[in-house]
Amino acid sequence: MTGAPKTAMVLAAGLGTRMRPLTDDRPKALVEIGGRALIDHVLDRLADAGVERAVVNVHWFADRLERHLTARGRGPAILISDERTELLETGGGLKKAAPLLGQDPVFVANIDSVWTDHASDGNSALNQLARLWNPSIMDAALLLARREASVGFEGAGDVFLADDDRLTFRGAAPEAPFAYMGVHICRPDYVADGPEGPFSLSGLWRRSAAAGRLYGCVLDGDWMHVGDPRARDEAETRLARAG
């Protein structure tokens, strides 16, 4: 490990259309689980991993989200990447925020992932990901979840994980055992060659995987992908049981 990132990019600008009606009056980042907003779950995890500064992109109900972040009072210092005029997707959002992120590797986190961590103290999922990260051989390191330990994810899986921690995409295979669970590490300039405007990180990951430079590690715990109201309710039940 070259040192855990001290900066994070939190992707919070989405419209949350699948989460309606819960997002009729708020951004998806402010939908609550267990009495706490989704973005607070993520920011608290990042703070526990040593993150000192978080860049948050905003679009839908941006003013309300900014007020919430200002009132948090704990955790990473917040900088805003304003996407009010154009929603830029994951790659475009990271590219726009690059001047705020600096040059060192960063955590990049979605706001619709909540998880329980079964690992012992000092060996949390984010710490494991940081220990895996090695920029000399990697373009990105992804945090993965086992499909059977997931709530709210109904896909056939995204990737296979080799013994050396390299990732290959499912491709034509009917299913794969692991899903990307919404957190990864990369350098901010990873997206520098991406197009202007909106674009997804997925294409860059596939290129990196083909070059043998996409790696991952697996969450020791339960992952809740909070994509719609039903998944939100299921996640709340799972968190209550985990207590």
Side-chain angles (χ1 to χ4, degrees):
M1 182 178 72
T2 59
K6 299 298 183 184
T7 300
M9 174 77 196
V10 179
L11 299 169
L15 296 173
T17 52
R18 293 180 57 231
M19 190 63 83
R20 290 176 178 164
L22 300 179
T23 50
D24 285 346
D25 65 348
R26 71 192 65 199
K28 185 177 181 180
L30 295 185
V31 171
E32 292 189 354
I33 293 181
R36 297 165 62 224
L38 284 170
I39 197 166
D40 289 333
H41 285 276
V42 173
L43 288 171
D44 289 349
R45 290 285 192 184
L46 292 169
D48 290 344
V51 169
E52 299 171 352
R53 183 178 61 155
V55 177
V56 180
N57 63 352
V58 299
H59 176 79
W60 184 245
F61 287 101
D63 291 347
R64 183 169 177 177
L65 180 52
E66 287 194 48
R67 288 195 299 271
H68 176 87
L69 293 170
T70 299
R72 263 181 57 87
R74 70 170 297 268
I78 303 295
L79 299 175
I80 297 297
S81 182
D82 195 331
E83 295 184 21
R84 284 174 172 85
T85 59
E86 184 180 23
L87 189 59
L88 294 172
E89 300 182 33
T90 54
L94 187 58
K95 184 173 181 178
K96 178 179 174 64
L100 301 174
L101 294 168
Q103 298 180 349
D104 293 333
V106 297
F107 285 110
V108 182
N110 299 342
I111 53 86
D112 56 7
S113 282
V114 178
W115 65 90
T116 62
D117 219 325
H118 297 166
S120 59
D121 290 346
N123 200 34
S124 71
L126 296 187
N127 287 340
Q128 290 180 59
L129 187 65
R131 278 196 288 272
L132 173 69
W133 169 249
N134 181 351
S136 67
I137 60 172
M138 301 176 189
D139 292 334
L142 279 56
L143 190 56
L144 309 174
R146 296 178 178 85
R147 288 170 56 208
E148 67 271 16
S150 302
V151 170
F153 179 79
E154 299 177 353
D158 301 316
V159 292
F160 297 94
L161 179 66
D163 290 341
D164 64 358
D165 299 320
R166 294 190 193 194
L167 301 182
T168 54
F169 279 88
R170 176 165 59 92
E175 59 183 23
F178 301 108
Y180 172 60
M181 58 161 286
V183 183
H184 73 277
I185 296 175
C186 69
R187 295 180 59 88
D189 61 6
Y190 182 47
V191 295
D193 294 334
E196 296 303 316
F199 69 95
S200 171
L201 285 167
S202 177
L204 297 180
W205 288 346
R206 292 177 185 278
R207 185 175 67 187
S208 294
R213 293 185 57 86
L214 189 70
Y215 284 69
C217 65
V218 181
L219 170 72
D220 182 8
D222 297 328
W223 170 49
M224 287 142 274
H225 176 232
V226 189
D228 56 39
R230 178 180 176 182
R232 192 214 73 91
D233 293 344
E234 291 175 348
E236 189 151 75
T237 299
R238 179 69 63 92
L239 280 182
R241 288 206 306 263

